[in-house]
Amino acid sequence: MQTYFIELSYLLASVLFILGLKGLSHPETAKRGMHLAEFGMLMAIIGTLMHHEIITYTWILSGLVVGSIVGLAMGFWVPMTAMPQRTALSHAFGAFAAALVGISEYLRHDGKIDKITMSALGFEVMLGALTTTGSLLAFVKLQGLVRGTPVTFKGQNVFNMALLLTTIGIFIYLIVVPGSLPLFFVMVGLALVFGLLLVMPIGSADMPVVMSLLNSYAGLASAATGFVLNNKVLIIAGTLDGFSGFILSVLMCRAMNRSITNVLFGAFGSADTAAASGMQQGVMREVSLEDIATQLAYARQVVFVPGYGMATAQAQHAVRELANTLEKRGVTVKYGIHPVAGRMPGHMNVLLAEANVPYSSLYELEQINPEFPNTDVAVVIGANDVVNPDARDNPNSPIAGMPILEVDHAKSVVVLKRGQGKGFSGLENPLFFKDVTGMLYGDAKDTLTRMIQAVQQA
Ligand code: NAP
């Protein structure tokens, strides 16, 4: 009866995870998807708690209480802008748990393990260990505790590859001769070091791609744990996590027109890549708030293009309020959303949804680009790289080929940013020097708040 209940709850959990993932693939169903996945996790926990091998609940309940307190506190107090580093920390914990389960299973069996179990166990410990340190380094870089720029040294890729091959070599040896305890811990140690070396040459802004790759590793480590523990829900959830993380990394790379190998080994964002853009000639034209307010108030169509600066300024509510004010005056307002605007997938969608911007007003790159020639004013709110025309016009640019929002085709462009700061790529943006563009300096939230009043008075 007990086994029947466990199997049933695991089956339900697996179905809910799949439905949850499906829901997450669209902004309108994302919230429901999240709730389904949460419910699935609850079923998986209940099923696991029924396991007959559990001798005492003391440690499990202590873990549940501590974990719930930490999770609730993170949910309440971590701001949306800190979501990438929060995710990095969660991956580190998850991967560390997988590695610890693998190590304890190895020690429990005293090295007397059959080849198939040892393959899964070694895979789990190796991936778990490298994901732990890799994610922790991603966290400290993203949190700004250490410099976010890539750290490189001569022969780095060769050294990293040699280290990885040695680790894999020991892993294969252990499958054949599983009883060698010291070698097992050498493999763990090398994997921990490799995790750090893997993330060291990657800049903060490429970190979301790496995070989703590490997420993929953590998922595969959990799937391997499932094989070791003969736990079906871990195998299914781990595999889903592993492959969805990998697909997400590929999609993000595609939206930046970069390959995974370029992200991992290209040290993007270092002084060299920034210098490759060269100097931009000309001057940036500053415009007054009143001029822009008049343009907006009498426009037929306005397109807002949000970027990372909107997230740091937390300006999404002010954007929505300005849109309301304009719509009341009969202006058509649309939002152009670039797939990699901000610092994580769906960053802009989440922020605008939080400000109750209707999903029907959000337009993807392919939908909004043909609309720019008929747009009176394109308002760029803290976006930079995603509107950089060099990606389209300059084949020598490091971001050449990256699809962009073609705001420079609008009749007029207003860029809201604090000063002359560059985007994540560190490149100069020729858009800011074009005749069609006017610069309005200041924190985006502050500028937008003042703009709402100016439009009301226009
Ligand atoms: P961006 O290129 O990073 O530019 C952001 C701009 O916002 C900066 O130029 C900055 O200029 C301005 N800014 C910062 N704080 C501001 C504030 N409080 N008020 C007003 N402006 C502010 O941003 P993006 O155009 O969104 O491009 C995203 C970049 O991240 C892309 O290169 C993309 O490839 C990369 N990336 C994204 C993802 C993802 O999943 N979304 C993943 C990996 C990489 P000032 O300093 O002058 O204000």
Side-chain angles (χ1 to χ4, degrees), residues 26-42:
H26 198 279
E28 265 175 0
T29 52
K31 244 186 188 167
R32 198 178 62 213
M34 198 63 222
H35 293 319
L36 287 174
E38 281 164 4
F39 191 56
M41 189 52 86
L42 184 69

Side-chain angles (χ1 to χ4, degrees), residues 205-206 208-209 252 256 307-309 312-313 339-345 382-386 402 416-425 442-444:
D206 268 347
V209 182
M252 273 197 269
M256 295 191 284
Y308 178 62
T312 50
V340 291
R343 289 292 183 270
M344 58 180 182
N384 192 337
D385 292 344
V386 299
M402 167 173 146
L416 312 187
K417 68 203 291 288
R418 293 165 309 175
Q420 318 276 313
K422 307 242 170 37
F424 122 79
S425 65
D443 174 77

Side-chain angles (χ1 to χ4, degrees), residues 216-228:
S216 157
Y217 296 161
L220 294 178
S222 310
T225 313
F227 279 110
V228 174

